[in-house]
Amino acid sequence: MRHRSVADLMTPTAVAVQPGTSFKEIARLLDEYGITAVPVVDEENRPVGVVSEADLLRRHTAKDGPSTAEAMMSSPVVTARPSWTAVEAARLMERHRVKRLPVVDAEGRLIGVLSRSDLLQLFLRRDRSIQEEIREDVVVRILQLSPSAVHIDVDEGRVTLSGTLDRAGTGPILVRLCETVDGVVEVEDRLTYEDATVEDEAVAAVEAVAAVEAVEAVEAVEAVERSTEGAEGGTV
């Protein structure tokens, strides 16, 4: 499955300021562009900090010291890479308790900004698009089932799976994989199985855990490979 990347979701032409930019100029930019924070970049367009509305209010209240971007910014700055998945970026935001991530290229230069509101785009995917991904990627490509083996209904990101499968072990795997599809809010399992016994269901649960762990392990390896583009967390 292809998870949407940071490059797919970020605002590509980021507004940025220099360390010497004044308080009033930053306030004007935030108002003009309807944003709540702005990256601070050096002469080579590499992020060195972030100035937010909170930083401006804090400095205005304190009324002491210089009112330049360099004096007000939060630093060091946590950045993301365009190849990261939205899940990786969201986890980084949560770990560092930030609301936005400057996105940098391989040379560490600013190419965009990813905000929490950008991540919410994942849940604005059309139901038809989610349905097609589940059928083509999960049901057919990964589980190698007939596309007609499972009925997939998607309503506002809520997925309902129904139909009769040969093996009890397939259902839990299918449900878990559907939960990882971008835009899925929840999954309801209405699947039934041919001649399934209690013992079958117990074995199926074990098999499902092993299969899902294998898929997650592959995704973890891919995430590590992407992270080698820069330091962990992208702090510069």
Side-chain angles (χ1 to χ4, degrees), residues 3-220:
H3 293 291
R4 296 181 74 184
S5 68
V6 168
D8 295 328
L9 299 170
M10 70 181 189
T11 301
T13 53
V15 180
V17 298
Q18 299 292 322
T21 304
S22 69
F23 180 105
K24 286 190 175 181
E25 177 62 15
I26 295 172
R28 186 190 67 77
L29 288 171
L30 296 184
D31 178 66
E32 179 180 347
Y33 289 93
I35 54 180
T36 59
V38 62
V40 183
V41 297
D42 62 17
E43 294 179 354
E44 296 182 340
N45 203 38
R46 291 187 172 91
V48 294
V50 173
V51 176
S52 67
E53 289 176 330
D55 295 321
L56 292 179
L57 292 173
R58 191 178 303 113
R59 180 49 56 98
H60 178 69
T61 301
K63 296 184 182 299
D64 61 346
S67 296
T68 62
E70 185 174 21
M72 295 183 290
M73 69 184 185
S74 300
S75 182
V77 61
V78 182
T79 63
R81 299 288 185 174
S83 60
W84 289 3
T85 65
V87 173
E88 290 172 281
R91 287 174 178 169
L92 188 65
M93 284 184 182
E94 178 65 21
R95 185 160 68 247
H96 290 274
R97 300 184 181 279
V98 295
K99 298 179 180 180
R100 63 200 62 78
L101 296 170
V103 183
V104 297
D105 61 17
E107 285 72 43
R109 294 184 176 88
L110 183 69
I111 58 174
V113 170
L114 181 75
S115 67
R116 286 180 178 177
S117 61
D118 293 325
L119 291 176
L120 289 177
Q121 292 181 36
L122 292 177
F123 299 101
L124 299 178
R125 289 187 71 189
R126 293 182 181 275
D127 291 339
R128 180 66 176 273
S129 176
I130 295 173
Q131 183 185 52
E132 290 175 352
E133 181 174 342
I134 291 174
R135 178 179 292 110
E136 296 171 7
D137 281 2
V138 177
V139 174
V140 176
R141 185 175 65 84
I142 296 178
L143 298 179
Q144 298 184 345
L145 299 173
S146 166
S148 61
V150 180
H151 179 71
I152 306 161
D153 182 65
V154 184
D155 181 24
E156 296 293 324
R158 294 173 174 82
V159 178
T160 302
L161 304 173
S162 58
T164 301
L165 300 177
D166 294 337
R167 298 181 69 252
T170 306
I173 300 172
L174 173 57
V175 170
R176 180 65 185 87
L177 290 174
C178 287
E179 290 174 341
T180 67
V181 172
D182 288 344
V184 170
V185 176
E186 63 181 336
V187 180
E188 181 177 355
D189 181 2
R190 296 183 182 175
L191 297 165
T192 57
Y193 310 96
E194 294 181 359
D195 302 323
T197 64
V198 174
E199 290 76 11
D200 291 334
E201 293 176 357
V203 172
V206 175
E207 292 178 344
V209 171
V212 170
E213 286 180 346
V215 172
E216 291 177 341
V218 171
E219 292 184 343

